Amino acid sequence: MSFGRLERTPGAQPMSDINVTPLVDVMLVLVVIFIITAPLLASTIRLDLPKTDAARAVDAPRFVTLVVDQSGQAFLNDKPIVLEELARQLTQTARQNPDTEVQLRADAAVPYGKVVEVMGVAQKAGLSRIGFVAEPAPAAALSAPAGR
């Protein structure tokens, strides 16, 4: 018999790393809950707003389409129109909403002077926002060097 300590093997040490899988699961569940409930929280207050002529609903900026075809004929919102009538219609549009944008589409064969004339009518009517609409060039044409 001997008196003394018995040799003990050290047991398993506790793991000090955090288990990430349950944390990710909880976060994904919370994200789904917030995605579902966020629209409901935004419109919970119901109001009966007073009516007035001074208040105007904020609309997205409007636009009108102005087309000049190969023969020089002008079209306003896909309807044929003469320049005098075009000036009157654009002036009326500018009175209603001065921020209206004119989307100008002109055929490549239209003389530059005709395009400038139509632009002048739009600017004289009070519409200064003019956007030019064009089609993108094919990818093969972009890669070819210019002048060859």
Side-chain angles (χ1 to χ4, degrees):
M1 276 177 121
S2 71
F3 296 103
R5 299 174 97 197
L6 296 173
E7 277 301 315
R8 291 188 189 172
T9 57
Q13 295 292 328
M15 187 172 72
S16 62
D17 295 334
I18 187 168
N19 192 357
V20 178
T21 304
L23 177 68
V24 170
D25 291 344
V26 169
M27 291 299 160
L28 289 175
V29 168
L30 287 174
V31 166
V32 169
I33 290 172
F34 288 138
I35 288 173
I36 292 172
T37 59
L40 300 175
L41 295 175
S43 62
T44 56
I45 300 174
R46 302 284 181 216
L47 297 175
D48 185 22
L49 296 175
K51 310 293 188 266
T52 180
D53 292 335
R56 187 183 280 181
V58 179
D59 295 332
R62 294 186 37 192
F63 67 91
V64 293
T65 304
L66 186 55
V67 178
V68 182
D69 69 357
Q70 190 173 9
S71 65
Q73 172 66 45
F75 295 84
L76 181 63
N77 294 330
D78 298 328
K79 295 177 186 167
I81 194 166
V82 294
L83 285 181
E84 294 80 20
E85 180 66 19
L86 176 66
R88 192 182 66 72
Q89 290 279 341
L90 291 180
T91 303
Q92 182 180 4
T93 301
R95 273 193 224 120
Q96 291 173 354
N97 186 1
D99 292 333
T100 301
E101 178 179 333
V102 177
Q103 291 185 349
L104 181 60
R105 300 169 190 250
D107 192 276
V110 174
Y112 178 70
K114 183 67 174 177
V115 175
V116 170
E117 183 181 1
V118 170
M119 284 175 44
V121 169
Q123 288 181 338
K124 195 173 193 180
L127 298 174
S128 58
R129 296 181 61 189
I130 299 176
F132 298 95
V133 181
E135 289 185 13
L142 290 176
S143 62
R148 290 188 183 183

